[in-house]
């Protein structure tokens, strides 16, 4: 027998986004009667409104791409798919339509997709089997939201398991965010309704996902039933998730350090029902906000309290959360940026309160040496990134962490830095760029600068490269091999425009 959930926990008539919308004078209800249809297209289900390409559902990964939110086709949508199909291929807003249990991929042993309806509304149901007598589902209903004048997808997700778990019901991402090149970034902040009845936001920044405030899933990152979370702002679309109902008030989001996508987490219901199962039940809706309305909300919002101070290192919750997110404890006041398109000095540090397109240099333990910020030594100012090898066998690699550096059609690149060395015999320092399609090593090619040896004052090292056609991303790194020190400053990655 299915348990009766507490009515106050399960649903609310107070949808916070709609309350703000009712007081905003810039929109009027719009009439549009869609004519939805679905067809198979290779490994996708393509959803259209007449001849308007609206969405794609990728069967192997159960990813939904909402490629168009408006009947006027302002996003210029199409069903063209770049191969291989992964992050550079995505268009519009993106949601995973499967339950993630212990991993960030399809976790179930079998999946069945069923399409019904058409015309004004169209439904897609995804049924998953995990183990004997354990199952889950996502039911998607496509419609038109007259209040916002956009297409909407309402999702009802249910899960029944034998063990209580920390569950991820979906992952929320949008094109135009989580990019390393500033000129490519279109969505620059995340905004949500907090449990205190107000609005909270943070600007996108590579340090932000590591901060104690943003990792505080139990409090500062929780969203109430009836609340919402979204990204903004741009003319084409500003995607938002509204939480319509839930079995529990334990709803939270966690920001990915790579693409700034939001992992949608649900706490476990308790106790188990009469059948001996734990059940999760949530309904949410994907819509788009008019740009001026999205901007009016950000003006009302308060900046997230990042908690970025040394006391965080004494917090068990922070250390557990950052470990669970697969990240290192990065010195919050010493994080040096890598800003593609312009040089970044080692005297600069990232301020999580400010928007910043780029990555950061990871100051993490390394076998046989260390990487740290040197506050006294720099090329033109006080400050640099210092790599130290403790013996002749050391190979210390400085890695840039954050949004993936997309190639995005540019044919050539230069990666340069000013380097100072104090190395024992046999030691050397250099710059390196590794193109890849999905991850390290899959392109089987490496581009490296001329190495610098011995004891030398500041010298500019440069590597110029044209990635192979199959490459989608660049991975840049700083290297020291042997005993001694190497200082890197004014580090710069540039795109060379096609002639």
């Amino acid at each position: 027998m299915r348990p009766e959930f507490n009515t106050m926990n399960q649903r609310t008539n107070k949808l916070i986004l709609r309350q703000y919308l009712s007081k905003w004078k810039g929109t009027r209800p719009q009439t549009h009667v869609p004519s939805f249809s679905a067809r198979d297209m290779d490994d996708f289900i393509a959803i259209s409104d007449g001849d308007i390409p609206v969405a794609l559902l990728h069967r192997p990964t159960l990813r939904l791409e909402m490629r168009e939110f408006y009947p006027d086709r302002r996003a210029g949508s199409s069903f063209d798919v770049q191969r291989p199909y992964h992050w550079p291929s995505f268009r519009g807003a993106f949601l995973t339509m499967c339950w993630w249990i212990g991993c960030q991929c399809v976790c179930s042993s079998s999946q069945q997709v069923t399409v019904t309806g058409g015309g004004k509304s169209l439904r897609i149901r995804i049924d998953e089997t995990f183990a004997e007598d354990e199952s889950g589902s996502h039911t998607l209903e496509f419609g038109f939201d007259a209040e916002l004048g956009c297409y909407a997808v309402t999702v009802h997700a249910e899960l029944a398991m034998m063990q209580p778990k920390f569950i991820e019901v979906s992952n929320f991402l949008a094109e135009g965010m989580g990019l390393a090149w500033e000129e490519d970034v279109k969505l620059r902040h995340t905004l949500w309704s907090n449990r205190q009845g107000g609005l909270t936001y943070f600007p996108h920044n590579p340090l932000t996902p590591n901060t104690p405030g943003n990792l505080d899933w139990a409090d500062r990152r929780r969203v109430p039933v009836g609340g919402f979370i979204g990204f903004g702002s741009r003319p084409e679309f500003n995607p938002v998730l509204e939480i319509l109902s839930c079995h529990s008030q334990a709803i939270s989001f966690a920001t990915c350090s790579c693409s700034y996508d939001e992992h949608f987490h649900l706490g476990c219901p308790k106790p188990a029902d009469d059948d001996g199962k734990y059940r999760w039940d949530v309904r949410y809706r994907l819509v788009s906000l008019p740009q001026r309305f999205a901007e009016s909300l950000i003006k009302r919002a308060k900046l997230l309290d990042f908690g970025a101070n040394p006391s965080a290192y004494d917090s068990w919750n922070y250390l557990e959360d950052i470990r669970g997110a697969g990240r290192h404890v990065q010195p919050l006041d010493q994080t040096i940026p890598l800003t593609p398109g312009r040089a970044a000095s080692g005297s600069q540090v990232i301020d999580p309160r400010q928007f910043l397109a780029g990555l950061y240099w990871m100051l993490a333990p390394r076998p046989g040496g260390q990487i740290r910020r040197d506050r006294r030594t720099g090329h033109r100012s006080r400050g640099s990134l210092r790599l130290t090898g403790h013996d002749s066998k050391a190979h210390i690699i400085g890695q840039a962490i954050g949004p993936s550096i997309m190639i995005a059609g540019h044919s050539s690149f230069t990666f340069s830095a000013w380097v100072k060395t104090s190395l024992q015999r046999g030691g050397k320092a250099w710059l390196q760029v590794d193109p890849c399609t999905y991850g390290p090593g899959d392109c089987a090619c490496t581009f490296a600068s001329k190495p610098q040896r011995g004891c030398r004052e500041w010298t500019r090292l440069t590597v110029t490269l044209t990635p192979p056609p199959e490459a989608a991303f660049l991975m840049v790194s700083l290297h020291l091999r042997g005993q001694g020190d190497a200082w890197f400053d004014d580090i710069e990655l540039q795109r060379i425009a096609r002639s």
Side-chain angles (χ1 to χ4, degrees), residues 471-486:
F473 305 105
L474 298 179
M475 303 177 67
V476 299
S477 52
L478 314 174
H479 291 252
L480 180 152
R481 188 181 292 277
Q483 186 174 1
D485 295 288

Side-chain angles (χ1 to χ4, degrees), residues 54-56 65-68 75 77-81 89 91-92:
V54 174
L56 288 171
E65 283 186 72
M66 196 70 174
R67 291 201 163 194
E68 183 61 77
S77 63
S78 75
F79 285 144
D80 293 340
V81 175
S89 311
R91 302 291 177 264

Side-chain angles (χ1 to χ4, degrees), residues 85-106:
Y85 180 69
H86 61 137
W87 170 216
S89 311
F90 300 153
R91 302 291 177 264
F94 158 110
L95 285 171
T96 52
M97 291 291 103
C98 56
W99 290 94
W100 284 355
I101 303 171
C103 66
Q104 292 179 6
C105 61
V106 177

